[in-house]
Amino acid sequence: MNGDGRDDIITFTQGNTGDVYVALSTGAGFGPGLLWHDAYAWGGQTPRVGDVNGDGRADIVAFVQGSDDVYVALSTGSGFGAAALWHNAFAPLGQFPYLGDVNGDGRADAIAFSSDGEADVFAALSNGSSFGTAVKWNDFFGLPGRPRSDVDRASGRAGPGGVRPARRARVCAGHRRISIARSSDLSS
């Protein structure tokens, strides 16, 4: 989260508080959980972690299903800034949103897996300040009734929570609830 090259841990309280806590890695353990944002990813929103602007620090992203909005709060290295709208029509109800650098430019892109009979995969590329138009990247992947889809790096499985968006991403099956971001992976 702070760009020092070590994996940090993050939790989203969601519910009524919307607090986001981060515990930075010391290299031998984790420091105390500190409040990095006090109103983000309320209950019903889907939080994700990834370096969407390519600055080497993991940012937080909230997918608001129902309104289909996507909000981003950029990391300052010691907290997260104000939430900004990055997309207003992505991952509607029935789709599962994730992040991954699908074009290899060092910025995490928005990815959505549909859960209907079409089983499509959509991507909206990050330009560093917003996500572009959603485009279908794959047909008939992650069939209904199977585990939710996730994204992994082509070089190996990411830690719990999904992608380390440093390299071109590929799609695989799986689902995780805790996110880990490696700052060095996010910046390379």
Side-chain angles (χ1 to χ4, degrees):
M1 305 303 156
N2 63 352
D4 68 359
R6 294 184 292 230
D7 288 346
D8 307 310
I9 56 175
I10 184 169
T11 189
F12 299 87
T13 63
Q14 295 193 285
N16 294 327
T17 60
D19 291 337
V20 180
Y21 289 89
V22 171
L24 298 175
S25 174
T26 65
F30 294 105
L34 302 175
L35 182 66
W36 273 40
H37 205 292
D38 63 358
Y40 199 80
W42 303 91
Q45 297 180 10
T46 303
R48 298 289 186 237
V49 178
D51 182 9
V52 297
N53 64 348
D55 68 356
R57 296 184 298 239
D59 310 304
I60 53 177
V61 178
F63 294 89
V64 185
Q65 294 185 311
S67 71
D68 307 338
D69 291 338
V70 181
Y71 288 91
V72 171
L74 299 175
S75 174
T76 65
S78 60
F80 296 109
L85 181 66
W86 273 43
H87 204 291
N88 64 358
F90 192 79
L93 285 173
Q95 292 187 0
F96 301 105
Y98 292 93
L99 296 173
D101 183 8
V102 297
N103 64 349
D105 67 358
R107 296 184 298 248
D109 308 303
I111 304 164
F113 298 86
S114 69
S115 62
D116 58 14
E118 300 296 316
D120 294 326
V121 181
F122 296 91
L125 302 180
S126 172
N127 65 17
S129 60
S130 68
F131 293 116
T133 303
V135 176
K136 187 190 307 186
W137 274 49
N138 201 313
D139 270 333
F140 208 60
F141 188 89
L143 301 175
R146 295 201 178 168
R148 293 182 192 175
S149 298
D150 203 346
V151 180
D152 279 350
R153 294 186 324 179
S155 63
R157 296 194 62 93
V163 177
R164 296 180 193 158
R167 300 179 183 107
R168 187 167 309 276
R170 68 182 167 96
V171 183
C172 72
H175 178 67
R176 300 162 196 38
R177 300 291 295 183
I178 299 171
S179 295
I180 295 178
R182 174 173 290 169
S183 302
S184 63
D185 283 350
L186 297 174
S187 62
S188 59

Coordinates of all heavy atoms in Angstrom, one line a residue, residues 60-108:
I60 N -7.5 1.6 -3.7 CA -8.7 0.8 -3.4 C -9.8 1.2 -4.4 O -9.9 2.3 -4.8 CB -9.2 1.0 -1.9 CG1 -9.3 2.4 -1.5 CG2 -8.2 0.2 -1.0 CD1 -9.9 2.6 -0.1
V61 N -10.6 0.2 -4.8 CA -11.6 0.4 -5.8 C -12.9 -0.2 -5.2 O -12.9 -1.3 -4.7 CB -11.2 -0.3 -7.1 CG1 -12.3 -0.2 -8.2 CG2 -9.9 0.2 -7.6
A62 N -14.0 0.5 -5.4 CA -15.3 0.0 -5.0 C -16.2 -0.1 -6.2 O -16.4 0.9 -6.9 CB -15.9 0.9 -3.9
F63 N -16.8 -1.3 -6.4 CA -17.7 -1.5 -7.4 C -19.1 -1.5 -6.8 O -19.4 -2.2 -5.9 CB -17.5 -2.9 -8.1 CG -16.2 -3.0 -8.9 CD1 -15.1 -3.4 -8.2 CD2 -16.2 -2.7 -10.2 CE1 -13.9 -3.5 -8.9 CE2 -15.0 -2.7 -10.9 CZ -13.8 -3.1 -10.3
V64 N -20.0 -0.5 -7.2 CA -21.3 -0.3 -6.7 C -22.3 -1.0 -7.6 O -22.8 -0.3 -8.5 CB -21.6 1.2 -6.5 CG1 -22.9 1.4 -5.7 CG2 -20.4 1.9 -5.7
Q65 N -22.6 -2.2 -7.3 CA -23.6 -2.9 -8.1 C -25.0 -2.4 -7.8 O -25.3 -2.2 -6.7 CB -23.4 -4.4 -8.0 CG -22.0 -4.8 -8.6 CD -21.8 -6.3 -8.6 OE1 -22.1 -7.0 -7.6 NE2 -21.4 -6.8 -9.7
G66 N -25.7 -2.2 -8.8 CA -27.0 -1.5 -8.7 C -27.0 -0.2 -9.5 O -27.8 0.1 -10.3
S67 N -26.0 0.6 -9.1 CA -25.8 1.9 -9.9 C -24.7 1.7 -11.0 O -24.6 2.5 -11.9 CB -25.3 3.0 -9.0 OG -24.0 2.8 -8.5
D68 N -24.0 0.6 -10.9 CA -22.9 0.2 -11.8 C -21.7 1.2 -11.8 O -20.9 1.2 -12.7 CB -23.4 0.1 -13.2 CG -24.6 -0.9 -13.3 OD1 -24.7 -1.7 -12.4 OD2 -25.4 -0.8 -14.3
D69 N -21.6 2.0 -10.7 CA -20.5 3.0 -10.6 C -19.3 2.3 -10.1 O -19.4 1.3 -9.4 CB -20.9 4.1 -9.7 CG -22.0 5.1 -10.2 OD1 -22.1 5.1 -11.5 OD2 -22.6 5.7 -9.4
V70 N -18.1 2.8 -10.4 CA -16.8 2.3 -9.9 C -16.1 3.5 -9.3 O -15.8 4.5 -10.0 CB -16.0 1.7 -11.0 CG1 -14.7 1.1 -10.4 CG2 -16.8 0.5 -11.7
Y71 N -15.8 3.5 -8.0 CA -15.1 4.5 -7.3 C -13.7 4.1 -7.0 O -13.4 2.9 -6.6 CB -15.8 5.0 -6.1 CG -17.1 5.7 -6.4 CD1 -18.3 5.0 -6.5 CD2 -17.1 7.1 -6.5 CE1 -19.5 5.7 -6.7 CE2 -18.2 7.8 -6.8 CZ -19.4 7.1 -6.9 OH -20.6 7.8 -7.2
V72 N -12.7 5.0 -7.1 CA -11.3 4.8 -6.8 C -10.8 5.8 -5.7 O -11.1 7.0 -5.8 CB -10.4 4.9 -8.0 CG1 -8.9 4.8 -7.7 CG2 -10.8 3.8 -9.0
A73 N -10.1 5.3 -4.7 CA -9.4 6.1 -3.8 C -7.9 5.8 -3.9 O -7.5 4.7 -3.6 CB -9.9 5.9 -2.3
L74 N -7.1 6.7 -4.4 CA -5.7 6.5 -4.6 C -4.9 6.5 -3.3 O -5.2 7.3 -2.4 CB -5.2 7.6 -5.6 CG -5.8 7.7 -6.9 CD1 -5.3 8.8 -7.7 CD2 -5.6 6.4 -7.7
S75 N -3.9 5.7 -3.3 CA -3.0 5.6 -2.1 C -2.1 6.8 -2.1 O -1.5 7.2 -3.1 CB -2.2 4.3 -2.1 OG -1.3 4.4 -1.0
T76 N -1.9 7.4 -0.9 CA -0.9 8.4 -0.7 C 0.4 7.9 -0.1 O 1.3 8.6 0.0 CB -1.5 9.5 0.2 OG1 -1.6 8.9 1.5 CG2 -2.8 10.1 -0.2
G77 N 0.4 6.6 0.2 CA 1.5 6.0 0.9 C 1.3 5.9 2.4 O 2.0 5.1 3.1
S78 N 0.4 6.7 2.9 CA 0.0 6.7 4.4 C -1.5 6.7 4.6 O -1.9 6.8 5.7 CB 0.7 7.8 5.1 OG 0.3 9.1 4.6
G79 N -2.2 6.7 3.6 CA -3.7 6.7 3.6 C -4.2 6.6 2.2 O -3.5 6.5 1.2
F80 N -5.5 6.7 2.1 CA -6.2 6.8 0.8 C -6.9 8.1 0.6 O -7.5 8.6 1.6 CB -7.2 5.6 0.6 CG -6.6 4.3 0.6 CD1 -6.8 3.4 1.7 CD2 -5.8 3.8 -0.4 CE1 -6.2 2.2 1.7 CE2 -5.2 2.6 -0.4 CZ -5.4 1.7 0.7
G81 N -6.8 8.7 -0.5 CA -7.5 10.0 -0.8 C -9.0 9.8 -0.9 O -9.5 8.7 -0.7
A82 N -9.6 10.9 -1.3 CA -11.0 10.9 -1.5 C -11.4 10.0 -2.7 O -10.7 9.9 -3.6 CB -11.5 12.3 -1.8
A83 N -12.6 9.4 -2.5 CA -13.1 8.5 -3.6 C -13.5 9.4 -4.8 O -14.1 10.4 -4.7 CB -14.3 7.7 -3.1
A84 N -13.1 8.9 -6.0 CA -13.5 9.6 -7.2 C -14.1 8.6 -8.2 O -13.7 7.4 -8.2 CB -12.2 10.2 -7.9
L85 N -15.2 9.0 -8.9 CA -15.8 8.2 -9.9 C -14.9 7.9 -11.1 O -14.5 8.9 -11.7 CB -17.1 8.9 -10.3 CG -18.0 8.1 -11.3 CD1 -18.5 6.8 -10.7 CD2 -19.1 8.9 -11.9
W86 N -14.6 6.7 -11.4 CA -13.8 6.3 -12.5 C -14.5 5.7 -13.6 O -14.1 5.6 -14.7 CB -12.7 5.4 -12.0 CG -11.4 6.1 -11.5 CD1 -11.4 7.1 -10.7 CD2 -10.1 5.7 -11.8 NE1 -10.1 7.5 -10.4 CE2 -9.3 6.6 -11.1 CE3 -9.5 4.7 -12.5 CZ2 -7.9 6.6 -11.1 CZ3 -8.1 4.7 -12.6 CH2 -7.3 5.6 -11.9
H87 N -15.8 5.2 -13.3 CA -16.6 4.6 -14.4 C -18.0 4.6 -13.9 O -18.3 4.4 -12.7 CB -16.2 3.1 -14.7 CG -16.5 2.6 -16.0 ND1 -17.8 2.4 -16.4 CD2 -15.7 2.3 -17.1 CE1 -17.8 2.0 -17.7 NE2 -16.6 1.9 -18.1
N88 N -19.0 4.8 -14.8 CA -20.4 4.9 -14.4 C -21.3 3.9 -15.0 O -22.5 3.9 -14.9 CB -21.0 6.3 -14.7 CG -21.0 6.6 -16.2 OD1 -20.6 5.8 -17.0 ND2 -21.5 7.8 -16.5
A89 N -20.7 2.8 -15.6 CA -21.5 1.7 -16.2 C -20.7 0.5 -16.3 O -20.4 0.0 -17.4 CB -22.0 2.2 -17.5
F90 N -20.3 -0.1 -15.2 CA -19.5 -1.3 -15.2 C -19.9 -2.3 -14.1 O -20.2 -1.9 -13.0 CB -18.0 -1.0 -15.0 CG -17.0 -2.1 -15.3 CD1 -16.7 -2.4 -16.6 CD2 -16.5 -2.9 -14.3 CE1 -15.9 -3.4 -16.9 CE2 -15.7 -4.0 -14.6 CZ -15.4 -4.2 -15.9
A91 N -19.9 -3.6 -14.5 CA -20.2 -4.7 -13.6 C -21.6 -4.6 -13.0 O -21.7 -4.4 -11.8 CB -19.1 -4.9 -12.5
P92 N -22.6 -4.6 -13.8 CA -24.0 -4.6 -13.2 C -24.3 -5.8 -12.4 O -23.5 -6.8 -12.3 CB -24.9 -4.5 -14.5 CG -24.1 -5.1 -15.5 CD -22.6 -4.8 -15.2
L93 N -25.4 -5.8 -11.7 CA -25.8 -6.9 -10.8 C -25.7 -8.2 -11.6 O -26.1 -8.2 -12.8 CB -27.2 -6.7 -10.3 CG -27.4 -5.7 -9.2 CD1 -28.9 -5.5 -8.9 CD2 -26.7 -6.2 -8.0
G94 N -25.2 -9.2 -11.0 CA -25.0 -10.5 -11.7 C -23.6 -10.7 -12.3 O -23.3 -11.8 -12.9
Q95 N -22.8 -9.7 -12.3 CA -21.4 -9.8 -12.7 C -20.5 -9.7 -11.5 O -20.8 -9.1 -10.5 CB -21.1 -8.7 -13.8 CG -21.8 -8.9 -15.1 CD -21.3 -7.9 -16.1 OE1 -20.4 -7.1 -15.9 NE2 -21.9 -8.0 -17.3
F96 N -19.3 -10.3 -11.6 CA -18.4 -10.3 -10.5 C -17.2 -9.5 -10.9 O -16.4 -9.9 -11.9 CB -17.9 -11.8 -10.2 CG -19.1 -12.6 -9.8 CD1 -19.6 -13.6 -10.7 CD2 -19.7 -12.5 -8.6 CE1 -20.7 -14.3 -10.3 CE2 -20.8 -13.2 -8.2 CZ -21.3 -14.2 -9.1
P97 N -16.9 -8.4 -10.3 CA -15.8 -7.5 -10.6 C -14.5 -7.8 -10.0 O -14.5 -8.2 -8.8 CB -16.4 -6.1 -10.2 CG -17.2 -6.4 -9.0 CD -17.8 -7.8 -9.3
Y98 N -13.4 -7.6 -10.7 CA -12.1 -7.8 -10.2 C -11.2 -6.8 -10.8 O -11.6 -6.0 -11.7 CB -11.6 -9.2 -10.5 CG -12.3 -10.3 -9.7 CD1 -13.5 -10.9 -10.3 CD2 -11.9 -10.6 -8.5 CE1 -14.2 -11.8 -9.5 CE2 -12.6 -11.5 -7.7 CZ -13.8 -12.1 -8.3 OH -14.5 -13.0 -7.5
L99 N -9.9 -6.8 -10.5 CA -8.9 -5.9 -11.1 C -7.7 -6.8 -11.6 O -7.4 -7.8 -11.0 CB -8.3 -5.0 -10.0 CG -9.3 -3.9 -9.4 CD1 -8.6 -3.2 -8.3 CD2 -9.8 -3.0 -10.5
G100 N -7.1 -6.4 -12.6 CA -5.9 -7.0 -13.2 C -5.4 -6.2 -14.3 O -6.1 -5.6 -15.1
D101 N -4.1 -6.3 -14.5 CA -3.4 -5.5 -15.6 C -3.5 -6.4 -16.9 O -2.5 -7.1 -17.2 CB -2.0 -5.2 -15.2 CG -1.3 -4.4 -16.3 OD1 -1.9 -3.9 -17.2 OD2 -0.1 -4.2 -16.1
V102 N -4.6 -6.3 -17.6 CA -4.8 -7.2 -18.7 C -4.0 -6.8 -20.0 O -3.8 -7.6 -20.9 CB -6.3 -7.4 -19.0 CG1 -7.0 -8.1 -17.9 CG2 -6.9 -6.1 -19.4
N103 N -3.6 -5.5 -20.0 CA -2.8 -5.1 -21.2 C -1.3 -4.9 -20.9 O -0.6 -4.5 -21.8 CB -3.5 -3.8 -21.8 CG -3.4 -2.6 -20.9 OD1 -3.1 -2.7 -19.7 ND2 -3.7 -1.5 -21.5
G104 N -0.9 -5.1 -19.7 CA 0.5 -5.1 -19.4 C 1.2 -3.7 -19.3 O 2.4 -3.6 -19.4
D105 N 0.4 -2.7 -19.1 CA 0.9 -1.3 -19.0 C 1.3 -0.9 -17.6 O 1.7 0.3 -17.4 CB 0.0 -0.3 -19.6 CG -1.3 -0.1 -18.9 OD1 -1.6 -0.8 -17.8 OD2 -2.2 0.7 -19.3
G106 N 1.2 -1.8 -16.6 CA 1.5 -1.4 -15.2 C 0.4 -0.8 -14.4 O 0.6 -0.4 -13.3
R107 N -0.8 -0.7 -15.0 CA -2.0 -0.2 -14.3 C -3.1 -1.2 -14.3 O -3.4 -1.9 -15.3 CB -2.5 1.1 -15.0 CG -1.6 2.3 -15.0 CD -2.2 3.5 -15.6 NE -2.5 3.3 -17.0 CZ -2.0 3.9 -18.0 NH1 -0.9 4.7 -17.8 NH2 -2.4 3.7 -19.2
A108 N -3.7 -1.4 -13.1 CA -4.8 -2.4 -12.9 C -6.0 -1.9 -13.7 O -6.4 -0.8 -13.6 CB -5.1 -2.7 -11.5

